Amino acid sequence: MEPDVIELVDRSRQGDRDAFGELARLHQHEVYTLAVRLTGDRTLAADVTQEALIRAWRAIGRFRGDSSFSTWLYRITANVAWTLKGRAARQRTYQLDAMIFQPQASDRGNPEVAGERTELRARLGAALAELARSQRTVVILKDVYGWSHKEISDALSISVTASKVRLHRAHLRLRELLKEAS
Amino acid sequence: MSRLVSRAGLDRVPRTATCGLTRLVLHGAESGGIDLPPVMERHRSGCLSCQAATARQRRMLAELGALRTEVEPVPYDMTAGLEYPVEAGADHASTQRRSTNRRTTTAVASAVSIAAIGVVVLVRRMRSPSIRKPA
């Protein structure tokens, strides 16, 4: 953890609201990004972000620093997004594509590469949106955020085997969807 | 994953590998979950179709990984709405309170039950004659 973050976490644990507010401001974009990816809905993602921050404030006393603060906060976010599944299922308006369409800064020099990547990302975004929510969650946490199956199983309260099976099925489905789209 | 491999019969290490079998375990091998059996590795190295599938799989994983660096800006300051409805560490405190309340309730319920049983036994003894007449 960065020195500033360590100090802010220490102060937050002692009940310093300003310190926690600063921590929340530092991490809110990443928390919101994860929430958008997991829910596929920006409105719901905003709710998830706020709920995750409130839960983090409530539980900050139990944060022991075994992992970084951001990892701990992402775990809470994933858990909140998962528990709000009823609402997420009702509001199936996936806007994931818009985020994935944006070409990266490194591609701007080569329009051909940028075009290919944009196309692949568009297809990948559409394919991700087609996945079942349980499968999409595991793909995002494992392939995008690099979590281990153990971390995923802890955050989602599922077994490690279930996490592996969901990832396997998600990859098979993604491959099918990408093949259909090409 | 091992269960999947087992279900597919791949733990028996087939003598020959087909494209279908190889692709079934390809994603696990690419994401580091399992090792591709040598017979499948040999098949892949000689099969252009499986090599293309491997490349596609790697590209897909790379693109997914690249998403990590992209950050979606928040539509409004999420911390502005936080009014700290509870104190820090409230979860722990409320858990302790709940636990204490539950213990107290259990103790009171047990005491009341024992007292009730005692009263019933006492009343029965008082009502029943101490010396019964022979029938």
Side-chain angles (χ1 to χ4, degrees):
Chain A
M1 279 195 284
E2 294 169 26
D4 288 352
V5 173
I6 292 172
E7 192 196 326
L8 288 172
V9 168
D10 281 344
R11 280 170 47 202
S12 301
R13 290 179 65 184
Q14 289 158 15
D16 186 337
R17 294 176 181 205
D18 293 337
F20 186 79
E22 189 56 35
L23 268 180
R25 256 186 295 282
L26 280 173
H27 291 91
Q28 60 177 340
H29 299 288
E30 294 224 323
V31 168
Y32 177 69
T33 305
L34 174 59
V36 169
R37 285 179 181 148
L38 291 176
T39 61
D41 182 316
R42 287 183 167 84
T43 311
L44 183 59
D47 291 346
V48 168
T49 305
Q50 288 204 321
E51 178 65 23
L53 292 174
I54 289 171
R55 284 198 195 179
W57 168 247
R58 282 177 176 165
I60 190 77
R62 281 181 285 158
F63 174 64
R64 295 198 184 103
D66 298 335
S67 60
S68 69
F69 176 75
S70 56
T71 305
W72 180 73
L73 190 55
Y74 296 160
R75 215 171 287 160
I76 293 174
T77 309
N79 190 270
V80 172
W82 185 251
T83 50
L84 292 178
K85 63 182 175 184
R87 273 176 76 182
R90 281 198 296 277
Q91 301 177 353
R92 283 177 67 90
T93 50
Y94 297 116
Q95 302 163 348
L96 217 54
D97 319 43
M99 188 170 57
I100 292 169
F101 266 113
Q102 296 162 3
Q104 289 199 317
S106 57
D107 296 338
R108 283 180 196 144
N110 189 341
E112 203 175 322
V113 174
E116 272 180 26
R117 287 194 71 176
T118 306
E119 193 194 331
L120 176 62
R121 285 200 171 196
R123 284 194 281 132
L124 198 54
L128 275 174
E130 284 286 310
L131 284 182
R133 196 183 53 84
S134 59
Q135 293 178 359
R136 191 174 68 242
T137 303
V138 175
V139 166
I140 287 167
L141 295 179
K142 180 78 172 70
D143 294 334
V144 179
Y145 286 86
W147 289 22
S148 68
H149 284 293
K150 176 78 175 70
E151 287 171 323
I152 295 171
S153 70
D154 287 345
L156 306 184
S157 302
I158 58 173
S159 67
V160 170
T161 308
S163 170
K164 287 180 179 178
V165 169
R166 281 179 196 180
L167 186 70
H168 176 79
R169 288 181 183 159
H171 279 174
L172 291 179
R173 183 82 185 114
L174 272 180
R175 222 160 56 195
E176 275 174 24
L177 290 166
L178 288 174
K179 205 172 170 182
E180 281 171 17
S182 62
Chain B
M1 186 57 65
S2 59
R3 191 184 290 177
L4 281 171
V5 170
S6 173
R7 202 179 291 168
L10 300 177
D11 53 343
R12 290 179 209 140
V13 188
R15 286 185 197 163
T16 56
T18 61
C19 293
L21 272 180
T22 305
R23 284 177 206 177
L24 189 66
V25 289
L26 198 58
H27 85 87
E30 287 307 314
S31 55
I34 54 169
D35 293 327
L36 205 61
V39 65
M40 288 181 185
E41 193 61 73
R42 275 200 301 279
H43 169 83
R44 183 168 63 171
S45 62
C47 174
L48 286 177
S49 169
C50 285
Q51 281 173 20
T54 306
R56 278 197 299 272
Q57 181 77 17
R58 284 181 186 163
R59 222 167 50 188
M60 185 184 86
L61 289 174
E63 281 305 316
L64 283 169
L67 287 178
R68 175 73 181 88
T69 54
E70 287 179 17
V71 176
E72 178 92 346
V74 290
Y76 52 89
D77 186 8
M78 296 284 167
T79 60
L82 290 176
E83 289 164 2
Y84 304 107
V86 287
E87 291 299 315
D91 276 6
H92 182 60
S94 65
T95 308
Q96 275 186 332
R97 247 194 330 272
R98 272 201 301 275
S99 176
T100 311
N101 288 346
R102 197 175 297 146
R103 274 201 299 270
T104 311
T105 311
T106 310
V108 169
S110 304
V112 168
S113 304
I114 290 166
I117 291 167
V119 168
V120 169
V121 170
L122 202 66
V123 167
R124 278 192 178 177
R125 281 200 176 171
M126 283 171 68
R127 280 186 183 173
S128 64
S130 54
I131 300 167
R132 290 174 188 262
K133 289 178 183 174

